[in-house]
Amino acid sequence: MPGQKIPYIPITVFTGFLGAGKTSIILSLLPKFPKDYKVVLLKNEFGDIEVDSQLAKQSSLAAVSEILNGCMCCVLVGQMKIALLEIRDKFRPDRIIIECSGSAFPATLAFQIRELERETNDDIKLDAIVTVIDAENFSGYEDTSPTAKMQASYSDIILINKWEYVDDRALDLLLDHLHTLNDPTPKIRCNGRDGVDPNLLFGVDTKLFLDSQHETSIPGEAIHHDEVQSVMLSRSSETTRVAGHLCHEPTCNDSHLLNAAACGGEERASAIDEGLLRDALRAVSKETVWRIKGFVRLEDGVYILNWAFGRYELTPCGRDEDPARGLCCPPDGDG
């Protein structure tokens, strides 16, 4: 539990589908820690720029480390162990929080941490796997995403986020379905912007994935498909770069991650009208799963844009420098 000193470094893994609200929940936990409690965030981004990480760096985290350009449970497998050892040696935090990409299999990450436990003589230990569920949209993306089912099935705690946006009947149906996928795992409702009490998440000392001999028995773990495409757009650039990332999903062409990339040149990006941006976001195709995030310059400054399933937030960037970054959102949703 926060504030309780222990001889090893516990790791809490947050997983959950694209746009479930992992970053917001993690950031909501930080003010609830004791002031001398040192937390380092290891974050995995599909794209090659740090978007959510900029929000995290404005928080009370001791440090933020990123693994970019792919999913660390498949394409970048092995990089997580290196990053965790670097965090241990450089910061010696009281806790490490890992925020997975939206398409990560928790089992692969857990087995890597279990290996690290043995290699470090339990100096680093897996504490819990926490899955964040978007109550408003889970039934939609879960139908076509084996990954979403896996995340809910292999978890110590399931956090139900955005439940205030659904009626009681829909929430009951969601809970029934989650009980079917993973009956013994506690399901906890997040308290809006206030998140959840960290004492409910930390000190779990999970017993999941202790036996490495069973690693290959996890359904779907050995089969990888193209799941996510990363589309980097820049207002001041004439080109759009699309990079596919190897992951797990048979519906790869129906799932996209849209990242606003840093401008290639030194030219300052011109401001975007907020009304035009809002209209473009409303026009994003509903036929595929989009996750839109990036830096956008409005008339009054640079903001971090986060959009998922029709809802978006604009957060002041808070940077000292003046990044030449922008976002163009294709009105037809094509990338």
Side-chain angles (χ1 to χ4, degrees), residues 272-284 292 295-298 303 305 307 312-314 327-329:
I272 298 173
D273 179 75
E274 185 173 353
L276 181 62
L277 173 64
R278 184 168 54 248
D279 291 343
L281 292 174
R282 287 172 179 167
V284 172
I292 302 174
F295 301 95
V296 57
R297 180 180 299 284
L298 301 179
Y303 288 79
L305 169 66
W307 182 100
Y312 76 94
E313 291 184 347
L314 289 168
L327 174 67
C328 289
C329 183

Short mmCIF file of all heavy atoms in Angstrom, two decimals, residues 272-284 292 295-298 303 305 307 312-314 327-329:
data_model
loop_
_atom_site.label_atom_id
_atom_site.label_comp_id
_atom_site.label_asym_id
_atom_site.label_seq_id
_atom_site.Cartn_x
_atom_site.Cartn_y
_atom_site.Cartn_z
N ILE A 272 -5.13 26.23 -35.52
CA ILE A 272 -6.31 25.60 -36.09
C ILE A 272 -7.54 26.17 -35.38
O ILE A 272 -7.54 26.33 -34.14
CB ILE A 272 -6.25 24.07 -35.90
CG1 ILE A 272 -5.06 23.48 -36.65
CG2 ILE A 272 -7.54 23.40 -36.36
CD1 ILE A 272 -4.84 22.01 -36.37
N ASP A 273 -8.57 26.47 -36.13
CA ASP A 273 -9.82 26.94 -35.55
C ASP A 273 -10.47 25.81 -34.76
O ASP A 273 -10.66 24.70 -35.28
CB ASP A 273 -10.76 27.43 -36.65
CG ASP A 273 -12.09 27.90 -36.09
OD1 ASP A 273 -12.12 29.00 -35.51
OD2 ASP A 273 -13.08 27.15 -36.23
N GLU A 274 -10.83 26.07 -33.51
CA GLU A 274 -11.38 25.01 -32.67
C GLU A 274 -12.71 24.49 -33.20
O GLU A 274 -13.02 23.30 -33.10
CB GLU A 274 -11.55 25.51 -31.23
CG GLU A 274 -12.01 24.41 -30.28
CD GLU A 274 -12.01 24.85 -28.83
OE1 GLU A 274 -11.52 25.96 -28.54
OE2 GLU A 274 -12.49 24.06 -27.98
N GLY A 275 -13.50 25.37 -33.80
CA GLY A 275 -14.76 24.91 -34.38
C GLY A 275 -14.54 23.96 -35.54
O GLY A 275 -15.25 22.96 -35.68
N LEU A 276 -13.54 24.24 -36.37
CA LEU A 276 -13.21 23.36 -37.48
C LEU A 276 -12.71 22.01 -36.97
O LEU A 276 -13.08 20.95 -37.50
CB LEU A 276 -12.13 24.02 -38.36
CG LEU A 276 -11.68 23.24 -39.58
CD1 LEU A 276 -12.82 23.01 -40.55
CD2 LEU A 276 -10.52 23.96 -40.27
N LEU A 277 -11.89 22.05 -35.93
CA LEU A 277 -11.41 20.81 -35.33
C LEU A 277 -12.56 19.99 -34.77
O LEU A 277 -12.65 18.77 -34.99
CB LEU A 277 -10.41 21.14 -34.22
CG LEU A 277 -9.92 19.96 -33.37
CD1 LEU A 277 -9.14 18.97 -34.21
CD2 LEU A 277 -9.08 20.46 -32.20
N ARG A 278 -13.49 20.66 -34.08
CA ARG A 278 -14.63 19.97 -33.50
C ARG A 278 -15.50 19.33 -34.58
O ARG A 278 -15.94 18.18 -34.44
CB ARG A 278 -15.45 20.97 -32.66
CG ARG A 278 -16.62 20.34 -31.92
CD ARG A 278 -17.20 21.31 -30.90
NE ARG A 278 -17.55 22.58 -31.49
CZ ARG A 278 -16.92 23.73 -31.24
NH1 ARG A 278 -15.90 23.75 -30.41
NH2 ARG A 278 -17.31 24.86 -31.82
N ASP A 279 -15.71 20.04 -35.68
CA ASP A 279 -16.50 19.48 -36.79
C ASP A 279 -15.81 18.27 -37.41
O ASP A 279 -16.46 17.28 -37.77
CB ASP A 279 -16.73 20.55 -37.86
CG ASP A 279 -17.68 21.66 -37.38
OD1 ASP A 279 -18.39 21.43 -36.38
OD2 ASP A 279 -17.67 22.73 -38.00
N ALA A 280 -14.48 18.35 -37.53
CA ALA A 280 -13.73 17.23 -38.10
C ALA A 280 -13.81 16.00 -37.21
O ALA A 280 -13.97 14.87 -37.69
CB ALA A 280 -12.26 17.63 -38.32
N LEU A 281 -13.74 16.20 -35.90
CA LEU A 281 -13.82 15.07 -34.98
C LEU A 281 -15.22 14.44 -35.01
O LEU A 281 -15.36 13.22 -34.90
CB LEU A 281 -13.48 15.53 -33.56
CG LEU A 281 -12.02 15.95 -33.33
CD1 LEU A 281 -11.85 16.53 -31.94
CD2 LEU A 281 -11.07 14.79 -33.55
N ARG A 282 -16.24 15.26 -35.15
CA ARG A 282 -17.60 14.73 -35.23
C ARG A 282 -17.79 13.88 -36.49
O ARG A 282 -18.64 12.99 -36.53
CB ARG A 282 -18.60 15.88 -35.24
CG ARG A 282 -18.79 16.57 -33.89
CD ARG A 282 -19.66 17.80 -34.05
NE ARG A 282 -19.87 18.49 -32.77
CZ ARG A 282 -20.38 19.70 -32.66
NH1 ARG A 282 -20.73 20.38 -33.75
NH2 ARG A 282 -20.53 20.26 -31.46
N ALA A 283 -17.01 14.16 -37.53
CA ALA A 283 -17.17 13.47 -38.81
C ALA A 283 -16.34 12.21 -38.91
O ALA A 283 -16.38 11.52 -39.93
CB ALA A 283 -16.80 14.42 -39.95
N VAL A 284 -15.57 11.87 -37.87
CA VAL A 284 -14.75 10.66 -37.92
C VAL A 284 -15.65 9.44 -38.10
O VAL A 284 -16.69 9.31 -37.44
CB VAL A 284 -13.90 10.53 -36.64
CG1 VAL A 284 -13.19 9.18 -36.61
CG2 VAL A 284 -12.89 11.66 -36.57
N ILE A 292 -7.69 8.88 -31.39
CA ILE A 292 -7.03 10.07 -31.91
C ILE A 292 -6.36 10.81 -30.75
O ILE A 292 -7.00 11.14 -29.76
CB ILE A 292 -8.04 11.00 -32.61
CG1 ILE A 292 -8.74 10.25 -33.75
CG2 ILE A 292 -7.36 12.26 -33.12
CD1 ILE A 292 -9.85 11.05 -34.41
N PHE A 295 -0.82 16.66 -30.52
CA PHE A 295 -0.68 18.05 -30.15
C PHE A 295 -1.34 18.91 -31.20
O PHE A 295 -1.14 18.70 -32.40
CB PHE A 295 0.79 18.43 -30.02
CG PHE A 295 1.54 17.61 -29.00
CD1 PHE A 295 2.24 16.48 -29.38
CD2 PHE A 295 1.52 17.97 -27.67
CE1 PHE A 295 2.91 15.71 -28.45
CE2 PHE A 295 2.20 17.21 -26.73
CZ PHE A 295 2.89 16.08 -27.12
N VAL A 296 -2.12 19.87 -30.77
CA VAL A 296 -2.83 20.73 -31.71
C VAL A 296 -2.69 22.19 -31.24
O VAL A 296 -2.82 22.48 -30.05
CB VAL A 296 -4.32 20.32 -31.82
CG1 VAL A 296 -5.00 20.33 -30.48
CG2 VAL A 296 -5.05 21.20 -32.82
N ARG A 297 -2.40 23.05 -32.20
CA ARG A 297 -2.26 24.46 -31.86
C ARG A 297 -3.56 25.19 -32.14
O ARG A 297 -4.02 25.25 -33.29
CB ARG A 297 -1.14 25.11 -32.67
CG ARG A 297 -0.95 26.60 -32.36
CD ARG A 297 0.17 27.21 -33.19
NE ARG A 297 1.42 26.56 -32.89
CZ ARG A 297 2.15 26.77 -31.79
NH1 ARG A 297 1.72 27.64 -30.89
NH2 ARG A 297 3.28 26.14 -31.59
N LEU A 298 -4.18 25.73 -31.10
CA LEU A 298 -5.35 26.58 -31.24
C LEU A 298 -4.92 28.04 -31.11
O LEU A 298 -3.74 28.33 -30.92
CB LEU A 298 -6.40 26.21 -30.18
CG LEU A 298 -6.89 24.76 -30.21
CD1 LEU A 298 -7.90 24.53 -29.09
CD2 LEU A 298 -7.47 24.39 -31.56
N TYR A 303 -2.37 22.53 -27.29
CA TYR A 303 -3.14 21.63 -26.43
C TYR A 303 -2.82 20.18 -26.79
O TYR A 303 -2.40 19.87 -27.91
CB TYR A 303 -4.65 21.86 -26.61
CG TYR A 303 -5.15 23.14 -26.01
CD1 TYR A 303 -4.97 24.35 -26.66
CD2 TYR A 303 -5.79 23.15 -24.78
CE1 TYR A 303 -5.42 25.54 -26.11
CE2 TYR A 303 -6.25 24.33 -24.22
CZ TYR A 303 -6.06 25.52 -24.89
OH TYR A 303 -6.52 26.68 -24.34
N LEU A 305 -4.62 16.79 -27.46
CA LEU A 305 -5.94 16.29 -27.86
C LEU A 305 -6.03 14.80 -27.58
O LEU A 305 -5.15 14.02 -27.96
CB LEU A 305 -6.17 16.55 -29.35
CG LEU A 305 -7.40 15.85 -29.98
CD1 LEU A 305 -8.69 16.41 -29.40
CD2 LEU A 305 -7.38 16.00 -31.50
N TRP A 307 -9.04 11.84 -28.05
CA TRP A 307 -10.37 11.54 -28.57
C TRP A 307 -10.56 10.04 -28.62
O TRP A 307 -9.67 9.29 -29.05
CB TRP A 307 -10.53 12.13 -29.97
CG TRP A 307 -11.88 11.95 -30.63
CD1 TRP A 307 -12.89 12.86 -30.73
CD2 TRP A 307 -12.37 10.78 -31.33
NE1 TRP A 307 -13.96 12.35 -31.42
CE2 TRP A 307 -13.67 11.06 -31.80
CE3 TRP A 307 -11.82 9.52 -31.58
CZ2 TRP A 307 -14.42 10.13 -32.51
CZ3 TRP A 307 -12.57 8.59 -32.29
CH2 TRP A 307 -13.86 8.91 -32.75
N TYR A 312 -13.95 13.83 -26.52
CA TYR A 312 -12.58 14.31 -26.58
C TYR A 312 -12.31 15.34 -25.51
O TYR A 312 -13.22 15.95 -24.95
CB TYR A 312 -12.27 14.89 -27.97
CG TYR A 312 -12.84 16.26 -28.25
CD1 TYR A 312 -12.09 17.41 -28.03
CD2 TYR A 312 -14.14 16.40 -28.75
CE1 TYR A 312 -12.61 18.66 -28.30
CE2 TYR A 312 -14.66 17.65 -29.02
CZ TYR A 312 -13.89 18.79 -28.79
OH TYR A 312 -14.41 20.02 -29.06
N GLU A 313 -11.02 15.50 -25.21
CA GLU A 313 -10.57 16.50 -24.26
C GLU A 313 -9.41 17.27 -24.87
O GLU A 313 -8.59 16.71 -25.61
CB GLU A 313 -10.10 15.85 -22.95
CG GLU A 313 -11.20 15.23 -22.11
CD GLU A 313 -10.67 14.70 -20.79
OE1 GLU A 313 -9.43 14.59 -20.67
OE2 GLU A 313 -11.48 14.41 -19.90
N LEU A 314 -9.33 18.55 -24.55
CA LEU A 314 -8.21 19.40 -24.92
C LEU A 314 -7.57 19.89 -23.63
O LEU A 314 -8.20 20.59 -22.83
CB LEU A 314 -8.66 20.58 -25.78
CG LEU A 314 -9.09 20.24 -27.21
CD1 LEU A 314 -9.79 21.43 -27.85
CD2 LEU A 314 -7.89 19.81 -28.05
N LEU A 327 -2.51 19.16 -35.97
CA LEU A 327 -3.29 17.96 -36.23
C LEU A 327 -4.27 18.23 -37.34
O LEU A 327 -5.00 19.22 -37.30
CB LEU A 327 -4.05 17.55 -34.96
CG LEU A 327 -5.01 16.38 -35.13
CD1 LEU A 327 -4.24 15.10 -35.43
CD2 LEU A 327 -5.84 16.19 -33.87
N CYS A 328 -4.26 17.38 -38.33
CA CYS A 328 -5.30 17.41 -39.36
C CYS A 328 -6.08 16.11 -39.26
O CYS A 328 -5.50 15.05 -39.34
CB CYS A 328 -4.67 17.52 -40.75
SG CYS A 328 -3.95 19.13 -41.10
N CYS A 329 -7.37 16.21 -39.07
CA CYS A 329 -8.20 15.02 -38.95
C CYS A 329 -9.00 14.83 -40.22
O CYS A 329 -9.83 15.68 -40.56
CB CYS A 329 -9.15 15.17 -37.77
SG CYS A 329 -10.17 13.73 -37.47
#
